[in-house]
């Protein structure tokens, strides 16, 4: 077998170097898609910034403003929010490149799931980001700033710390919301089964709640706001796995041939 070309036995089978070359090509195209999304988002970076920091601004006392301590912090924060928006804008193109990379190893009937995969993954990615921004961030900001207000402290929140926290929470939640789509894909190609997911349910809960604790601030309520939807997504993934698992063809049952009837002898006697 030649590492630089296809095998002689199967001309459609890709070699290791061809797989690496295909991966490099898909990564470059995905990176260009993100770069294009970043360029579009940067033109509206002011508006995107106001949307991203809205939960924190709404929780601040009247007259309080966000601060910065580094000379280049305002410029860097506009780059960060543009990258964040660029990831969501380019998500369909990036997911398409991912599908095109793995599709050569699929059967023909499995390749028809490209539109459900890309559409579903894009939807859940956006849903996860919106859930974090709309539900988790307002609660966390109101809770922690409210504690400081009750103690009589003056909030001095820097945009660098706020953006780092928000980007981690939004992107992390968006990626976790991809779980049902990933389970659907792995189910269709025969890797995951409902009994397997049920068997590892306790282990998965430990991993998911640990991830929820890492994504959220150090308080129990924020962790619950992330952990409960994660648990629901895992149960939804089990249902998806059960509904879309490949149908097994029935195994034909071999029947024993019927015993032959005894032949009558020519003189009318029955053989013993």
């Amino acid at each position: 077998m030649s590492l630089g070309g296809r095998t002689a036995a199967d001309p459609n089978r890709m070699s290791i170097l061809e797989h690496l070359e295909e991966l490099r090509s898909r990564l470059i195209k995905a990176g260009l898609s993100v770069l294009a999304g970043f360029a579009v988002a940067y033109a509206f970076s002011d508006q995107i910034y106001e949307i991203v920091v809205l939960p924190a601004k709404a929780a601040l006392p009247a007259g309080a403003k966000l601060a910065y301590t580094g000379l280049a912090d305002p410029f860097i924060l506009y780059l960060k929010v543009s990258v964040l928006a660029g990831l969501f804008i380019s998500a369909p193109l990036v997911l398409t490149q991912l599908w095109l990379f793995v599709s050569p190893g699929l059967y023909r009937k499995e390749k028809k799931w490209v539109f459900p995969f890309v559409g579903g993954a894009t939807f859940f990615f956006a849903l996860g980001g919106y859930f974090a921004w709309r539900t988790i961030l307002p609660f966390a900001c109101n809770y922690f700033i409210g504690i400081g207000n009750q103690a009589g402290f003056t909030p001095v929140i820097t945009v660098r710390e706020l953006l780092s926290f928000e980007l981690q929470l939004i992107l992390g939640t968006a990626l976790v919301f991809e779980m049902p789509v990933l389970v659907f894909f792995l189910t269709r190609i025969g890797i995951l089964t409902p009994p397997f997911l049920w068997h590892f349910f306790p282990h998965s809960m430990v991993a998911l709640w640990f991830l929820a604790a890492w994504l959220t601030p150090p308080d129990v309520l924020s962790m619950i706001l992330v952990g409960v939807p994660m648990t629901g997504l895992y149960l939804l993934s089990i249902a998806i796995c059960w509904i879309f698992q490949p149908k097994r063809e029935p195994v034909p049952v071999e029947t024993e041939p019927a015993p032959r009837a005894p032949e009558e002898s020519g003189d009318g006697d029955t053989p013993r």
Side-chain angles (χ1 to χ4, degrees):
M1 179 182 69
S2 173
L3 291 178
R6 301 183 186 274
T7 61
D10 186 1
N12 295 321
R13 187 181 182 88
M14 298 177 66
S15 66
I16 296 177
L17 290 182
E18 286 176 323
H19 276 296
L20 294 176
E21 180 64 24
E22 179 72 10
L23 176 61
R24 185 184 71 87
S25 175
R26 297 302 174 190
L27 288 176
I28 291 176
K29 292 178 181 179
L32 291 176
S33 301
V34 175
L35 185 61
F38 165 79
V40 173
Y42 190 75
F44 304 94
S45 56
D46 291 337
Q47 296 87 336
I48 297 173
Y49 163 76
E50 292 296 333
I51 294 174
V52 171
V53 300
L54 183 61
K57 278 189 166 184
L60 289 173
K65 296 182 179 180
L66 297 174
Y68 67 94
T69 57
L71 182 63
D73 282 354
F75 173 72
I76 293 175
L77 75 89
Y78 283 121
L79 291 181
K80 286 184 176 181
V81 297
S82 298
V83 171
L84 173 67
L87 289 173
F88 283 93
I89 293 173
S90 62
L93 300 177
V94 174
L95 292 167
T96 300
Q97 295 301 317
L98 173 62
W99 179 270
L100 292 176
F101 175 71
V102 301
S103 61
L106 303 178
Y107 292 106
R108 181 177 300 177
K109 63 180 180 179
E110 296 169 343
K111 294 180 180 180
K112 66 181 181 180
W113 295 102
V114 53
F115 293 109
F117 172 78
V118 175
T122 302
F123 170 76
F124 278 100
F125 187 72
L127 180 63
Y130 177 77
F131 176 79
W133 176 82
R134 186 68 178 83
T135 304
I136 303 173
L137 283 176
F139 175 83
C141 292
N142 285 319
Y143 178 76
F144 288 111
I145 295 178
I147 292 177
N149 292 337
Q150 291 178 0
F153 300 141
T154 300
V156 181
I157 303 174
T158 64
V159 289
R160 174 182 295 180
E161 294 176 348
L162 177 63
L163 262 296
S164 298
F165 166 69
E166 290 192 347
L167 293 184
Q168 173 182 316
L169 186 59
I170 291 175
L171 285 180
T173 308
L175 290 175
V176 170
F177 268 59
E178 294 289 282
M179 188 193 312
V181 181
L182 180 61
V183 169
F184 166 79
F185 177 72
L186 295 178
T187 299
R188 293 303 304 175
I189 62 178
I191 295 179
L192 291 181
T193 60
F196 178 86
L197 294 177
W198 273 119
H199 177 74
F200 287 97
F201 180 81
H203 308 77
S204 302
M205 288 301 99
V206 172
L208 289 177
W209 282 89
F210 178 82
L211 180 61
W214 178 74
L215 288 175
T216 56
D219 71 289
V220 177
L221 294 179
S222 297
M223 184 181 69
I224 293 176
L225 284 177
V226 178
V228 170
M230 286 183 178
T231 304
L233 286 172
Y234 190 86
L235 295 175
L236 175 63
S237 300
I238 295 177
I240 291 174
C241 185
W242 180 76
I243 295 172
F244 293 100
Q245 60 182 325
K247 305 299 181 185
R248 294 182 178 180
E249 298 181 359
V251 179
V253 179
E254 298 182 358
T255 57
E256 297 182 358
R260 298 178 60 185
E263 299 179 358
E264 296 183 356
S265 60
D267 54 2
D269 296 334
T270 302
R272 297 180 182 179

